[in-house]
């Protein structure tokens, strides 16, 4: 570690929040982006919903303000997941010029506190007119993004995978109450962005007591009708009961 | 959510890092604090190891600098766990005066990025002379602390409990390679700060395949000699294998 004695002026910085909203559609893990208003440009420019925070705001308040302005959604729990403060995140001149024009402020460094939320795609949103539009983009096919927003989204995707690993029940929020083995596998494949071995998946699924067969099978399908399963929260909680729940 | 239209000046703030190092001793969950240098005071004043970040530093670099200055320890993985930015965290005049004297800077708000690490107490440390001294304090018997350091420590304790719940193997880092049921239970009790029912604990422990009986029992003890157990990482990983590990 270098001590940088020659350059240890204390950082005086703007602080922002950025919100990463991830959703699963039938094929892709997607992130919600907003369209920036840029003068003299016909191109569309997207970014994460975000804002510098106000002098009298704390971080969570700013995050909910930003999220609500962008989506109109309330009651979506936002979780702070990481702060990004590399000096290089504000090195791009175009980004900084856009920001200084939009904010009418001289800006040097910005430390941003990133928040993460999950949402089913298609939930009715009602954004304010702060942005031109908003749109879902697959996380593996992002448009060009300002600052380190691509890095923030990549970190959020890693984070959501960790959440699902550590708290597998999250996955069932993305599924209908009754789901087929195929639907469950596809949801995992979408979140982890990789194909899974079908036989191993079924074996693993069969070993999990909280995934319960129902008596129902698909109807009206061209292929062989698949059985429906359901998530048994009571069994799940029992299996995941910890020492401290004694 | 209020919009604070009347007071939406953008925050321009100093940014700091604070490091929470938690350790388990035989009786208590403890946190490492450093003694502040305060003129004209014989009292000892403690705080979390922390620092404003330098202009050319990113957050992680600053955290490792602070941690290393305070403890001399290297190779302890620090994990960013939350940022604290409430306007009220810098409202105490004594705190601010101390900080401005120490930094020779005019300071208004500070957003701090908190890092968390676990360490066995007693690990050899070799601090720099930035602080008068450092000491471990039980998290339930903290001295008076500046800013929101008490709140940060409380959040870190919640965080560590979550880590242990979601990744139970962490607990074995705090135990000898061979441990008794009593030692395991005490470590849980210390981290969660509550007594556990002995019978339920043994039952739960018996159900966990990765806690393996050895042939050895305690020697040279006055009470009835207890059996030693060990942690079986292979079985643990198998049990905790996730769909995505297919």
């Amino acid at each position: 570690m270098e001590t940088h004695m020659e350059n240890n002026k204390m950082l005086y910085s703007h602080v922002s929040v950025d919100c990463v909203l991830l959703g699963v559609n039938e094929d892709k893990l997607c992130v919600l982006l907003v369209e920036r208003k840029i003068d003299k440009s016909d191109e569309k420019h997207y970014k994460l919903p975000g804002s510098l925070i106000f002098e009298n705001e704390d971080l969570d308040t700013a995050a909910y303000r930003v999220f609500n302005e962008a989506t109109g959604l309330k009651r979506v729990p936002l979780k702070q997941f990481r702060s990004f403060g590399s000096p290089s995140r504000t090195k791009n001149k175009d980004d900084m010029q856009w920001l200084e024009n939009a904010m009418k402020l001289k800006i040097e460094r910005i430390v941003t506190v990133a928040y993460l939320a999950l949402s089913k795609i298609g939930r009715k949103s009602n954004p304010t007119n702060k942005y031109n539009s908003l749109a879902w983009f697959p996380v593996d096919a992002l448009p060009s993004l300002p600052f380190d927003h691509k890095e923030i989204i990549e970190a959020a995707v890693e984070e959501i995978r960790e959440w699902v690993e550590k708290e597998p029940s999250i996955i069932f929020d993305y599924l209908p109450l009754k789901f087929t083995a195929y639907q469950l596998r596809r949801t995992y494949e979408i979140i982890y962005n990789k194909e899974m071995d079908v036989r191993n998946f079924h074996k693993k699924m069969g070993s999990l007591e909280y995934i319960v067969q129902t008596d129902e099978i698909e109807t009206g399908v061209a292929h062989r009708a698949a059985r429906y399963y359901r998530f048994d929260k009571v069994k799940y909680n029992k299996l995941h009961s910890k020492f401290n729940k004694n």
Side-chain angles (χ1 to χ4, degrees), chain A:
Chain A
M1 202 169 354
E2 296 148 53
T3 50
H4 301 294
M5 291 303 288
E6 74 289 354
N7 193 2
N8 56 6
K9 261 184 75 183
M10 300 301 169
L11 178 67
Y12 200 43
S13 166
H14 283 93
V15 176
S16 65
V17 291
D18 282 298
C19 296
V20 185
L21 184 63
L22 293 176
V24 175
N25 75 3
E26 279 173 40
D27 252 352
K28 291 285 186 185
L29 185 62
C30 294
V31 61
L32 188 75
L33 300 175
V34 293
E35 190 190 338
R36 290 194 279 172
K37 294 183 177 175
I38 296 196
D39 297 338
K40 298 174 281 180
S41 168
D42 286 337
E43 263 183 276
K44 292 191 170 199
H45 292 266
Y46 289 95
K47 65 185 275 291
L48 288 171
S51 163
L52 296 180
I53 75 174
F54 297 155
E55 272 193 352
N56 61 346
E57 261 182 339
D58 69 17
L59 303 172
D60 288 358
T61 309
Y64 280 99
R65 170 175 60 81
V66 161
F67 186 75
N68 184 254
E69 281 172 358
T71 67
L73 295 174
K74 293 184 179 180
R75 295 167 197 274
V76 174
L78 292 172
K79 203 176 161 204
Q80 211 195 88
F81 80 98
R82 199 183 308 170
S83 294
F84 295 79
S86 162
S88 66
R89 64 186 304 274
T90 44
K91 283 281 182 271
N92 182 303
K93 280 181 191 160
D94 291 343
D95 293 345
M96 293 311 282
Q97 202 181 343
W98 166 78
L99 186 62
E100 292 187 350
N101 288 346
M103 295 290 115
K104 295 171 184 64
L105 272 180
K106 176 74 194 149
I107 291 172
E108 291 173 11
R109 266 181 73 180
I110 307 173
V111 172
T112 197
V113 183
Y115 283 74
L116 178 54
L118 290 167
S119 170
K120 287 186 190 182
I121 291 177
R123 236 182 110 166
K124 202 180 150 210
S125 69
N126 185 24
T128 63
N129 60 4
K130 183 173 175 185
Y131 302 108
N132 286 344
S133 68
L134 64 172
W136 291 95
F137 287 85
V139 295
D140 59 2
L142 296 172
S144 167
L145 293 172
F147 309 111
D148 53 357
H149 286 192
K150 186 162 183 283
E151 187 190 332
I152 294 174
I153 293 167
E154 285 164 357
V157 169
E158 286 304 312
E159 182 79 12
I160 207 70
R161 288 173 184 160
E162 253 182 57
W163 289 7
V164 171
E165 271 193 58
K166 291 182 178 171
E167 199 64 88
S169 63
I170 294 173
I171 203 98
F172 301 103
D173 290 342
Y174 285 100
L175 287 161
L177 283 177
K178 286 170 193 162
F179 51 84
T180 64
Y182 172 79
Q183 285 177 308
L184 181 60
R185 180 166 58 82
R186 274 305 292 153
T187 307
Y188 272 105
E189 288 182 340
I190 289 165
I191 289 177
Y192 288 103
N193 194 31
K194 65 175 180 190
E195 272 189 53
M196 291 179 176
D197 180 87
V198 177
R199 277 183 63 175
N200 281 346
F201 188 88
H202 277 255
K203 215 167 116 183
K204 178 79 190 167
M205 192 173 150
S207 75
L208 295 174
E209 289 173 34
Y210 56 81
I211 300 176
V212 180
Q213 276 200 10
T214 73
D215 295 333
E216 296 171 58
I217 56 168
E218 287 179 310
T219 53
V221 289
H223 55 79
R224 188 177 150 215
R227 181 168 298 280
Y228 282 116
Y229 293 80
R230 66 180 176 81
F231 170 56
D232 187 324
K233 200 166 173 57
V234 173
K235 284 190 181 159
Y236 177 86
N237 286 341
K238 209 172 151 192
L239 195 70
H240 287 75
S241 81
K242 304 302 179 333
F243 282 119
N244 68 315
K245 299 285 164 35
N246 271 344

